[in-house]
Amino acid sequence: MKNLFQQSTLDLSRQLLGMELIHEIDGKATSGRIVEVEAYKGPEDRGAHSYGGRRTKRTEVMYGRPGHAYIYLIYGMHFCFNIVTGVPDKPEAILVRALEPLRGIDRMAERRGIHLAFDEDGNPKQNKMKPLTNGPGKLCQALGISMEQYGHDLTRKPLYIKSVSEPLAEEKIATGPRINIDYAGEARFYPWRFWIKDHSFVSR
DNA sequence: GGGACGATCGAT
DNA sequence: TCGATCGTCCCC
C-alpha cells in the first residue's frame, strides 16, 4: 500500500477525517478522532504561511517530505498542529482544527484545566468534553503538543496517526471556507475546510 | 533595531 | 466584541 501521505492535499484532507491522532508521553496516550481540518497549498494560496514561496525557519519543514509535523505558535499563546503534505519543495500542509477525544480523557482535562463532570451513567458530560479539543489551539494543549514536536515524523511514536475505520463516505463530509484568513483575498473563499457533518466537536 | 501582526481562546 | 501575549517576519 502507498504511504498515506503520498496523495494530493485535498484528497488527504478528506481521508484524515475519522482517523486517530495519538500522542504518547511518559508511556501514556492521549488521542482523538480527527473531525475537522483545513488545507493550505502554498505558494499560490494567499492564506498559507508559505504563500509566494516564503521560506523561513518557521515554514522550513513544509518544504521537506510529507508526513511530518508543522507546528507554530499563534498569537503568542497557542500552538497549531499541521501535517506536511505534497512533495518536497511544494510547501503544503493540513491544519488539524478539531478532535473528538478518545484516549486519556482525564489527562486531557488536566492539561486543559477543565474539571470533568459525569452523568448518572458515569459518562463525562458533553459540555465539559467539548472544550477539550474543539479548536486547533485547544487540541494541542490537550495532547501536549508544542514546538518540541516540530518536524516529527508522523508515522512514528510518540506522535502519530492511525487509521481506525473505513474512509468516511462522501456524504458524511462537509466543506466550506477556511476560518480566520480574512487577509487572504480571493483565497478566503476557497472551500478547503473539511469536517464531519453534524459532528458536535467541530470548532464552529 | 523596531514595529506590526497573527490558520486562537475565553471572558464580557 | 475585545484583550492577552510573544515569536516571526519584514522593513528601516
Side-chain angles (χ1 to χ4, degrees):
Chain A
M1 171 188 150
K2 240 168 67 167
N3 186 313
L4 170 68
F5 303 109
Q6 291 182 325
Q7 56 183 316
S8 81
T9 297
L10 296 185
D11 285 347
L12 180 57
S13 296
R14 294 171 174 275
Q15 199 174 337
L16 283 171
L17 296 175
M19 289 192 175
E20 185 179 10
L21 175 64
I22 305 157
H23 193 197
E24 296 175 8
I25 298 178
D26 296 331
K28 290 179 185 155
T30 47
S31 80
R33 261 183 108 213
I34 297 171
V35 301
E36 180 186 359
V37 300
E38 283 177 357
Y40 289 87
K41 305 209 309 169
E44 295 82 23
D45 174 9
R46 207 166 148 191
H49 292 159
S50 51
Y51 174 62
R54 228 161 73 218
R55 185 167 186 164
T56 64
K57 186 168 176 238
R58 179 175 72 152
T59 62
E60 183 59 29
V61 73
M62 276 199 276
Y63 290 81
R65 301 197 323 280
H68 292 246
Y70 168 47
I71 299 165
Y72 60 90
L73 178 70
I74 186 74
Y75 298 105
M77 354 175 41
H78 310 289
F79 297 107
C80 287
F81 170 78
N82 300 250
I83 298 157
V84 175
T85 58
V87 296
D89 293 323
K90 193 100 202 318
E92 305 187 350
I94 297 171
L95 169 69
V96 177
R97 287 194 57 89
L99 303 175
E100 172 191 341
L102 290 178
R103 305 191 221 175
I105 290 170
D106 52 345
R107 170 136 320 197
M108 290 195 243
E110 247 174 66
R111 292 190 184 126
R112 291 278 298 127
I114 290 171
H115 195 74
L116 289 178
F118 299 87
D119 61 23
E120 56 277 3
D121 297 325
N123 297 313
K125 290 193 175 169
Q126 280 296 296
N127 67 328
K128 301 292 184 183
M129 287 284 282
K130 271 198 200 180
L132 293 182
T133 53
N134 68 342
K138 300 180 200 180
L139 72 90
C140 282
Q141 189 179 24
L143 265 58
I145 293 172
S146 68
M147 294 309 291
E148 286 176 43
Q149 286 77 39
Y150 182 95
H152 179 78
D153 177 352
L154 296 169
T155 63
R156 296 167 183 268
K157 291 185 178 189
L159 178 62
Y160 57 106
I161 291 169
K162 187 176 171 186
S163 178
V164 290
S165 60
E166 294 300 304
L168 245 62
E170 187 65 25
E171 65 267 20
K172 292 188 176 168
I173 299 175
T175 68
R178 295 168 294 177
I179 292 176
N180 283 338
I181 52 164
D182 293 352
Y183 52 82
E186 277 302 304
R188 64 185 288 194
F189 303 116
Y190 297 171
W192 288 352
R193 174 176 173 239
F194 303 85
W195 66 96
I196 298 180
K197 245 179 230 178
D198 300 321
H199 198 289
S200 63
F201 283 88
V202 168
S203 65
R204 57 168 81 166

